[in-house]
Amino acid sequence: MTVTRFGLQIPRFTYPGVPDSELFERVADIATTAEESGGFDSVWVMDHFYQLPGLGAEDEPMFEAYSLLSALAARTSRVRLGTMVTGVTYRNPALLAKTVTTLDVISSGRAILGVGAAWNESEHHDYGFDFPPTGERMDRLEEALRICRAMFTEYAPSFSGKHYQIHEAFNVPRPVTPGGPPVMIGGGGEKRTLRLVAEYGDASNIFGDLATVRHKLDVLARHCADVGRDPAEITKTKLCTMVIAPTSQEADKRVEAIRAATGFGEEQVRAMLVAGSPDQVLEQVQAHVDAGLDGLLFNMMDAHEVENVRLAGETLARFSF
């Protein structure tokens, strides 16, 4: 099962001239435009409480992820819906399984569980969540994956781990998706994260330039061999930023504006971007697929200008895997 080919992540909820009371309608417009464009088969939001460095100030608007996804489920009919990605440290795994199952029912089987070990210490501190060392966060992630899988597939599962326990936990109504919503694990850690993908994931999302992508996929393939799993069973994606415009000259201007706004170096920006005219974007998508990816997830910094989303989706709809 391919979890997604092309997804749109909505990275910001700060839109020029739009008051807070109207933000959801703008986000819904972005999501429905992505669906209608024909190129996007999934829509994602960040499971964070603060805006992230490089995207804006911490105190910019940030919706709670699952409330937002449930609302978007009522406005859309085809695209899958998920978080990129939920931090295991601030979501009790049994409640997370219940929440994602509810989204699956509301959306008629379109939920994806996106999950990772969490990283943004600032919002943990301010919200009163513990932020344990990396090793413990990875241990918690593995326990959470086991609990979510059990609650998706078993009638009354029990689990006793070092950090989490459940006892004959009911999850009713049951997921609409057979076997439960697919699980996407975010991150490219070679020792633990990609090993967990091989053991528990339906999909993996990584970062980096093409050389890094090839290397991470090789590491994942070795982990799959170790656990006796066919890597073709796992949808392999990368999160990057798309800048698309009718002409390459206009796209170049937007890329330079992003570089200036973020303070990132040119090489860093180019590594994270798919940018250019529609034909140039398709060439870069092809290069990523040739590197071994099954799909791409895109941030669009200018998604509030929905015609850019429409152009992106119509362009991606031309791509043939």
Side-chain angles (χ1 to χ4, degrees), residues 48-64:
H48 285 286
F49 311 117
Y50 288 172
Q51 184 54 276
L52 303 185
L55 295 177
E58 283 190 329
D59 62 350
E60 290 185 3
M62 180 62 65
F63 283 113
E64 192 283 319

Side-chain angles (χ1 to χ4, degrees), residues 75 89 106 128 162 243-244 259:
R75 297 292 186 93
T89 48
I106 291 171
K162 181 178 180 181
V243 178
I244 190 168
R259 193 192 67 76

Side-chain angles (χ1 to χ4, degrees), residues 123-143:
E123 59 190 357
H124 283 76
H125 176 270
D126 292 359
Y127 270 69
F129 292 111
D130 292 338
F131 188 73
T134 302
E136 181 179 329
R137 299 202 310 275
M138 295 304 303
D139 292 342
R140 287 177 177 272
L141 177 58
E142 180 165 9
E143 290 188 14

Side-chain angles (χ1 to χ4, degrees), residues 212-272:
T212 300
V213 166
R214 294 187 188 95
H215 172 70
K216 298 293 185 182
L217 296 184
D218 286 343
V219 173
L220 176 59
R222 292 197 294 271
H223 283 307
C224 286
D226 288 342
V227 303
R229 189 169 183 201
D230 183 354
E233 297 176 1
I234 300 168
T235 301
K236 296 166 282 290
T237 66
K238 168 188 166 180
L239 178 65
C240 51
T241 296
M242 181 190 290
V243 178
I244 190 168
T247 67
S248 59
Q249 292 82 2
E250 185 177 349
D252 287 342
K253 291 179 181 178
R254 296 184 188 181
V255 169
E256 179 56 30
I258 290 175
R259 193 192 67 76
T262 60
F264 294 154
E266 182 175 351
E267 184 175 339
Q268 187 177 10
V269 169
R270 292 292 177 183
M272 69 187 224

Side-chain angles (χ1 to χ4, degrees), residues 66 86-103 113 115 140-154 156-160 163-175 181:
Y66 288 102
T86 285
V88 69
T89 48
Y90 45 79
R91 301 280 186 182
N92 171 277
L95 180 58
L96 176 61
K98 182 72 171 178
T99 301
V100 177
T101 296
T102 299
L103 177 63
L113 169 56
V115 67
R140 287 177 177 272
L141 177 58
E142 180 165 9
E143 290 188 14
L145 289 166
R146 293 177 65 182
I147 287 172
C148 287
R149 281 291 191 200
M151 292 188 65
F152 288 160
T153 58
E154 299 176 28
S158 296
F159 174 86
S160 181
H163 304 287
Y164 304 113
Q165 298 81 37
I166 57 173
H167 177 70
E168 298 181 356
F170 297 124
N171 185 22
V172 183
R174 304 296 295 152

Side-chain angles (χ1 to χ4, degrees), residues 80 103-111 176-177 182:
R80 288 182 175 270
L103 177 63
D104 200 53
V105 173
I106 291 171
S107 66
S108 300
R110 293 185 284 133
V176 173
T177 302

